[in-house]
Amino acid sequence: MRTVRLPDGTEVVALGQGTWRMGEGRHPRKAEADALRMGLDLGMTLIDTAEMYGEGGAEEVVGDAVAGRRDTAFIVSKVYPRNASHKGVAAACARSLSRMRVERIDLYLLHWRGSVPLAETVAGFEDLRAAGKIGAWGVSNFDAAEMAELVRVPDGSGCATDQVLYNPDARGIEFDLLPWCARAKMPLMAYSPVGQGGSLLRAPAMLAAARRHGATPAQIALAWALRHPGVIAIPKATIHAHVRDNATAATLTLTPDDLAAIDAAFPPPKRRQRLEML
Ligand SMILES: NC(=O)c1ccc[n+]([C@@H]2O[C@H](COP(=O)([O-])OP(=O)(O)OC[C@H]3O[C@@H](n4cnc5c(N)ncnc54)[C@H](OP(=O)(O)O)[C@@H]3O)[C@@H](O)[C@H]2O)c1
């Protein structure tokens, strides 16, 4: 599995697993944990979760998935902006650790920008890092201007990643944020990389590329996101066939013709666009 290097030198896999909508009772908790464990076995060893998902339910599923094999997983979780004060972030982290029954969150993100000053949240993250409760910290749903602002606050340059919406149908970040991250040597995490399993996977350009490669449209979407060396994609899957599909996408390389056909169907941005988020 291809890896991506975080600014602190840690290598993580470029293809991980999401957990939004897990821990909400849609499927038995064991089935969701089994899907994540299958993904771990297939090499998708980065798991993305958040205190928001299922109001802690997804973190409990992650805890089940990594029980007895904590060292095989790189866990990413996120704090609600409303909990991102200096004291709040410590309390939220403690709750997340306890739900997942782990000693450390490997990468802890501010879920989106709220009203707490960035410097205060960063100070809270840095204290957690010094205490060994988290390995690294980052943000989510920050646009290029917000990233530039973040790296100017004290210790702000310690940010490890920005996690944002990215798939062929939502590619506005290619205009400014993706180049900004590349210049800063900061990996970008692509969320909803298979377009939440919706119309993207039925688009003629995706179906045609899938036919050419003997692949599925979801695999094409993942290979498309992973064509950038600094991008980490985190598809969420509960169905085992989806987990298997996603794991093998890392070996797929799109041709210039595939990329041109996808560009024709989903044109790259020509000007700065407002950051899209879900
Ligand atoms: N930071 C943020 O604000 C933010 C926002 C959104 C998401 N995220 C993170 O990013 C992760 C991924 O995003 P997402 O869950 O929104 O969307 P996604 O990963 O693009 O899509 C998930 C949906 O697609 C289906 N799917 C997965 N693999 C498939 C395949 N190979 N073929 C067909 N369908 C497939 C899944 O079905 P089954 O589950 O039925 O298998 C599920 O319904 C989230 O789970 C979360 O961890 C972060």
Side-chain angles (χ1 to χ4, degrees):
M1 181 72 72
R2 188 160 69 70
T3 59
V4 171
R5 191 183 291 259
L6 299 182
D8 69 1
T10 308
E11 299 266 350
V12 298
V13 288
L15 190 54
Q17 308 185 74
T19 63
W20 193 20
R21 307 289 187 216
M22 289 188 177
E24 295 182 358
R26 289 168 190 246
H27 300 276
R29 180 165 152 177
K30 181 176 178 311
E32 294 175 337
D34 283 350
L36 290 175
R37 264 197 296 272
M38 181 181 187
L40 290 175
D41 290 339
L42 294 172
M44 296 187 289
T45 54
L46 180 151
I47 298 181
D48 177 78
T49 190
E51 62 172 337
M52 184 187 99
Y53 302 161
E55 291 303 325
E59 288 184 328
E60 289 177 359
V61 173
V62 172
D64 292 353
V66 305
R69 55 185 303 176
R70 171 67 185 96
D71 294 348
T72 64
F74 183 91
I75 298 177
V76 184
S77 193
K78 312 184 200 78
V79 58
Y80 268 125
R82 64 163 186 261
N83 290 337
S85 65
H86 200 142
K87 276 192 182 150
V89 88
C93 179
R95 289 192 295 271
S96 290
L97 290 172
S98 134
R99 281 190 290 261
M100 292 189 277
R101 290 156 278 137
V102 298
E103 300 291 315
R104 182 178 109 130
I105 293 169
D106 299 302
L107 177 57
Y108 198 36
L109 311 181
L110 173 61
H111 208 147
W112 63 90
R113 186 149 186 200
S115 56
V116 176
L118 291 177
E120 181 174 344
T121 304
V122 170
F125 281 155
E126 284 293 334
D127 282 356
L128 285 171
R129 202 168 63 80
K133 305 278 185 200
I134 65 173
W137 63 266
V139 294
S140 176
N141 296 305
F142 272 42
D143 65 19
E146 289 169 325
M147 290 308 288
E149 190 184 335
L150 172 66
V151 295
R152 285 195 301 269
V153 308
D155 293 322
S157 60
C159 178
T161 193
D162 187 13
Q163 183 182 113
V164 292
L165 176 64
Y166 187 51
N167 64 51
D169 202 21
R171 57 188 299 189
I173 61 160
E174 288 176 12
F175 188 78
D176 51 359
L177 182 62
L178 203 48
W180 187 95
C181 288
R183 280 196 303 277
K185 297 192 171 34
M186 188 186 293
L188 179 139
M189 294 182 77
Y191 73 66
S192 309
V194 301
Q196 301 201 294
S199 59
L200 173 70
L201 304 186
R202 296 186 295 276
M206 304 300 285
L207 291 166
R211 267 194 306 274
R212 283 194 292 276
H213 288 273
T216 66
Q219 290 176 316
I220 299 296
L222 293 172
W224 181 88
L226 297 179
R227 76 197 187 287
H228 299 288
V231 167
I232 299 162
I234 47 169
K236 173 261 179 185
T238 315
I239 294 175
H240 286 194
H242 289 165
V243 178
R244 268 192 297 271
D245 246 29
N246 296 348
T248 41
T251 58
L252 189 64
T253 304
L254 300 184
T255 65
D257 284 351
D258 296 326
L259 295 174
I262 292 172
D263 282 352
F266 302 99
K270 291 201 175 69
R271 61 186 69 83
R272 200 177 76 76
Q273 294 180 2
R274 198 187 173 84
L275 184 71
E276 291 179 75
M277 52 178 98
L278 295 179

